[in-house]
Amino acid sequence: MEHLPIDIYIVFALGAITTLWLLYKATHYSKWVMIITLLWLALQAVISLSGFYTVTSGVPPRFALLLMPPVVFVIVLFFIKKSLRAIDSFDVKILTLLHVVRILVELVLYGLYLHKVIPQVMTFEGRNFDILCGLTAPLIWYFGYVKLMLSPKVLLAWNVICLLLLANIVVTAVLSAPLPFQQFAFDQPSVALFYFPFVWLPGFIVPTVFFAHLVTIRRLLQTKSN
């Protein structure tokens, strides 16, 4: 990964910092959220720098230890009454704006593709349409939460569609990696996400975006039922 230009790292760092800051702000500057997140980021940095995730021959794949724990953690939060009280207080307006980081992510993915460390199928030139969520997020934020011109049904539909697009790229990324169940991109597999700092994409940014959608969808369903 030493051949990658510095601008890819800069854009990725900007995306990770923006994600962290907007999450922190949306949770009303929760110290626990910041502490847990920073500890997780530090842990994944150490693990990835050791080369742990570059070993892809095992079953289950080591990559699962990067993506699954935060996703499972997010889901479990929605089954605990105490955490639900906190979740229901989070600022969905900021969580909606958080999705702009998907623009930066897509630019990074495109740069990684040009340098042959992920396949084209993972970019907006392939099967990844996630950039549309990032591009429309400011419009949804402004017209939905500032001007109050969009109905809860429209906001709900946007979140569901973007959640499906997120699932699409996650599945594509997993099936494009040099793992035992690889299905795509055998000529140029996805290897960048096994290395620091790009492990933070599946290990932090993706789960945070997933969390933002779930919180917002829950709030919109509550509004719809009232």
Side-chain angles (χ1 to χ4, degrees):
M1 301 293 287
E2 293 81 3
H3 66 288
L4 295 178
I6 189 65
D7 57 329
I8 292 180
Y9 290 100
I10 292 173
V11 175
F12 183 78
L14 181 59
I17 292 170
T18 302
T19 303
L20 180 61
W21 169 249
L22 291 178
L23 175 65
Y24 183 50
K25 186 175 182 180
T27 58
H28 306 295
Y29 307 101
S30 169
K31 292 181 180 179
W32 281 111
V33 169
M34 181 60 76
I35 291 171
I36 292 173
T37 303
L38 290 177
L39 287 175
W40 174 252
L41 290 173
L43 175 64
Q44 291 305 326
V46 171
I47 293 175
S48 60
L49 287 170
S50 73
F52 179 81
Y53 293 118
T54 61
V55 178
T56 59
S57 58
V59 178
R62 295 183 177 187
F63 186 73
L65 297 177
L66 175 64
L67 179 63
M68 293 309 298
V71 170
V72 171
F73 177 72
V74 166
I75 294 174
V76 168
L77 288 177
F78 285 83
F79 290 91
I80 301 174
K81 289 183 178 181
K82 189 174 181 179
S83 64
L84 278 177
R85 287 195 293 270
I87 286 171
D88 289 338
S89 71
F90 292 166
D91 191 336
V92 294
K93 181 174 14 176
I94 301 299
L95 289 176
T96 299
L97 194 59
L98 182 146
H99 296 289
V100 297
V101 302
R102 292 158 91 157
I103 299 174
L104 299 176
V105 167
E106 295 309 311
L107 293 176
V108 168
L109 290 178
Y110 190 70
L112 293 175
Y113 155 65
L114 293 178
H115 288 83
K116 304 184 183 304
V117 287
I118 69 166
Q120 184 185 46
V121 71
M122 284 181 59
T123 72
F124 46 72
E125 287 191 348
R127 296 179 51 180
N128 184 359
F129 307 104
D130 204 58
I131 194 170
L132 297 176
C133 301
L135 292 172
T136 55
L139 299 176
I140 296 297
W141 167 77
Y142 183 73
F143 291 107
Y145 294 100
V146 177
K147 292 297 184 180
L148 303 177
M149 294 172 61
L150 301 179
S151 69
K153 288 184 179 180
V154 172
L155 298 174
L156 183 61
W158 181 82
N159 274 277
V160 171
I161 291 171
C162 288
L163 191 57
L164 292 174
L165 290 178
L166 179 68
N168 170 66
I169 182 55
V170 169
V171 171
T172 301
V174 171
L175 295 181
S176 299
L179 301 172
F181 42 79
Q182 183 179 359
Q183 299 294 318
F184 309 124
F186 291 97
D187 57 331
Q188 186 174 319
S190 174
V191 296
L193 303 186
F194 298 152
Y195 295 86
F196 178 81
F198 305 110
V199 290
W200 286 346
L201 176 54
F204 167 59
I205 297 178
V206 167
T208 301
V209 169
F210 176 59
F211 175 73
H213 278 311
L214 292 187
V215 173
T216 306
I217 289 172
R218 173 180 166 82
R219 189 74 56 82
L220 290 169
L221 290 175
Q222 289 175 334
T223 302
K224 188 177 178 181
S225 63
N226 292 335

